[in-house]
């Protein structure tokens, strides 16, 4: 029987504009727009469903065509979609401008609706039942700080592990009050700097600072450079595989999180799990979409052969 994952977090519309030529700041740049469903929690949910997990998604949504787009994508991915629908509100959106090579120039997040996912919604019977039935709770920092604290408290009460996606430097600080209740946190170096209020020359110094804040396990990505992963008793590094045909980096961190969680739930250790995550991220950046629709366990296994072994740092 497939393991169950409960996802509470962002499920909205991603709009991305890609510049055709060299980026000219402060000027009009020729390019094109692309729109698809996205959100940290939602991207991870779709990836986990494609990897064979039983995924339930709970997220606020507006009563508009954008909300219908998200619902259709959830159904297509095989997710058990249970949104809180606010008929008089608009579905949140994320709008990004990308350079020709796919790297982010700037983004705007219109996420006001997520403020309505307040802690008392966790007391709804269907939500309580979802916590009881799941094997893992995955949340993201699109939710309010007090709701994230309530999620970790509810999960602890039910004896369920919690994973979290940092989303952005501005939002990751919402997780600070509940870090001790998070079993796995996925963040990049900008988010690590925001959370710890430091920028050390050696990224391993972030590990001791995050541990001091109560975090038990985490993964810090650093673009094309070595990522750092740690648990209570080990620190490892991993060089992501070289990907020549990068189409779009959007969603790479979310699929890395999904790949790592899938491997951990399958019983792999942290070193092997980050290899699975790096392989999954490499698949995503070759796709023009935030999630790779061709993702399968077999494709992941093929890409895994290109990922080096993790190195133990301590």
């Amino acid at each position: 029987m497939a393991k169950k994952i409960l996802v509470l977090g962002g499920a909205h519309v991603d709009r991305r504009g890609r510049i055709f030529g060299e980026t000219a700041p402060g000027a009009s740049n020729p390019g094109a727009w692309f729109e698809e469903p996205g959100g940290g929690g939602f991207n991870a949910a779709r990836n986990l469903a494609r990897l064979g997990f039983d995924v339930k998604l709970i997220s606020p949504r507006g009563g508009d065509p954008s909300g219908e787009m998200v619902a259709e994508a959830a159904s297509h991915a095989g997710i058990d979609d249970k949104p809180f629908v606010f008929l008089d509100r608009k579905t949140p959106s994320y709008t990004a401008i990308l350079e020709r090579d796919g790297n982010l120039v700037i983004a705007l997040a219109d996420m006001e609706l997520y403020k309505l996912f307040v802690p008392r919604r966790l007391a709804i019977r269907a939500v309580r039942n979802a916590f009881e039935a799941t094997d893992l709770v995955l949340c993201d920092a699109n939710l309010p700080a007090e709701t994230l604290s309530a999620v970790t408290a509810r999960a602890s009460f039910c004896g369920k592990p919690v994973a979290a996606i940092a989303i952005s430097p501005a939002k990751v600080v919402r997780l600070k009050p509940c870090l001790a209740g998070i079993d796995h946190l996925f963040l990049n170096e900008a988010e690590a700097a925001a959370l710890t209020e430091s920028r050390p020359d050696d990224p391993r110094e972030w590990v001791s600072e995050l541990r001091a804040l109560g975090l038990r396990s985490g993964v810090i990505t650093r673009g094309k450079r070595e990522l750092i992963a740690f648990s209570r008793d080990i620190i490892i590094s991993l060089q992501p595989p070289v990907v020549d045909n990068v189409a779009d980096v959007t969603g790479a961190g979310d699929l890395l999180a999904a790949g790592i969680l899938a491997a951990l739930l399958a019983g792999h250790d942290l070193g092997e799990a980050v290899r699975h995550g790096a392989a999954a991220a490499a698949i995503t950046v070759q796709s023009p979409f935030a999630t790779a629709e061709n993702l399968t366990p077999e494709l992941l296994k093929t890409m895994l052969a290109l990922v080096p072994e993790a190195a133990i740092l301590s």
Side-chain angles (χ1 to χ4, degrees), residues 230-301:
F230 69 95
S231 61
R232 284 176 170 172
D233 56 359
I234 192 172
I235 303 175
I236 64 175
S237 68
L238 179 77
Q239 177 61 54
V242 176
V243 178
D244 295 325
N245 52 334
V246 174
D248 194 333
V249 300
T250 303
D254 304 326
L255 187 43
L256 178 131
I260 291 174
L261 291 174
L264 290 172
L265 286 169
H268 293 290
D269 62 22
L270 183 60
E272 189 61 19
V274 294
R275 292 187 67 241
H276 281 72
I283 292 170
T284 295
V285 299
Q286 296 177 67
S287 167
F289 306 107
T291 65
E293 295 195 348
N294 63 332
L295 177 66
T296 62
E298 292 73 27
L299 178 60
L300 183 60
K301 184 177 181 180

Side-chain angles (χ1 to χ4, degrees), residues 130-137 152 154-162 181 183:
F131 271 84
E132 292 285 354
T134 197
D135 293 298
L136 171 77
V137 177
T152 58
R154 169 66 64 177
S156 176
F157 177 79
C158 297
K160 309 297 181 179
V162 177
D183 296 275

Side-chain angles (χ1 to χ4, degrees), residues 16 23 27 66 74 93 100-101 109 124 131 148 187 195 199 254 261 264 271 276 289 300:
R16 301 196 294 281
T23 303
S66 294
S93 64
R100 180 173 56 185
D101 61 5
I124 296 172
F131 271 84
L148 292 165
L187 67 171
L195 193 56
R199 287 188 174 274
D254 304 326
L261 291 174
L264 290 172
H276 281 72
F289 306 107
L300 183 60

Side-chain angles (χ1 to χ4, degrees), residues 41-293:
F42 187 45
N43 290 339
R46 285 188 286 174
N47 292 321
L48 287 162
R50 288 174 181 140
L51 291 174
F53 291 88
D54 183 349
V55 181
K56 184 185 293 290
L57 173 70
I58 300 176
S59 181
R61 207 165 301 159
D64 55 6
S66 294
E68 294 172 4
M69 179 191 296
V70 174
E72 183 177 349
S75 176
H76 180 71
I79 294 171
D80 183 9
D81 186 31
K82 301 296 182 185
F84 298 129
V85 179
F86 298 86
L87 295 175
D88 60 340
R89 303 297 182 100
K90 63 179 180 178
T91 298
S93 64
Y94 171 84
T95 303
I97 301 296
L98 305 175
E99 293 183 307
R100 180 173 56 185
D101 61 5
N103 287 312
L104 179 67
V105 177
I106 195 169
L108 187 150
D110 181 359
M111 307 286 177
E112 287 298 299
L113 187 63
Y114 291 132
K115 292 180 179 179
L116 299 184
F117 195 152
V118 293
R120 69 173 181 271
R121 291 192 172 271
L122 301 180
I124 296 172
R125 177 176 293 181
V127 179
R128 298 201 314 268
N129 291 343
F131 271 84
E132 292 285 354
T134 197
D135 293 298
L136 171 77
V137 177
L138 173 62
C139 60
D140 72 31
N142 281 307
L143 303 182
E146 60 272 19
T147 304
L148 292 165
S149 292
V151 167
T152 58
R154 169 66 64 177
S156 176
F157 177 79
C158 297
K160 309 297 181 179
V162 177
I165 299 173
I167 299 297
S168 73
K171 293 179 179 179
V172 68
V173 293
R174 299 174 183 174
L175 293 165
K176 200 166 188 175
C178 60
L179 281 180
I182 294 174
D183 296 275
H184 311 286
L185 176 61
F186 302 95
L187 67 171
N188 61 30
E189 55 189 340
E191 293 154 357
L195 193 56
T196 61
E197 300 179 16
S198 69
R199 287 188 174 274
D201 293 330
D202 186 343
R204 285 178 291 183
E205 293 182 27
W206 272 320
V207 175
S208 60
E209 295 183 44
L210 290 168
R211 283 172 171 166
L213 291 172
L215 185 63
R216 294 188 283 271
S217 175
V219 179
I220 305 169
T221 57
R222 305 169 62 229
K224 296 179 181 179
R225 294 171 294 162
E226 293 180 344
L227 64 79
I228 301 294
F230 69 95
S231 61
R232 284 176 170 172
D233 56 359
I234 192 172
I235 303 175
I236 64 175
S237 68
L238 179 77
Q239 177 61 54
V242 176
V243 178
D244 295 325
N245 52 334
V246 174
D248 194 333
V249 300
T250 303
D254 304 326
L255 187 43
L256 178 131
I260 291 174
L261 291 174
L264 290 172
L265 286 169
H268 293 290
D269 62 22
L270 183 60
E272 189 61 19
V274 294
R275 292 187 67 241
H276 281 72
I283 292 170
T284 295
V285 299
Q286 296 177 67
S287 167
F289 306 107
T291 65
E293 295 195 348

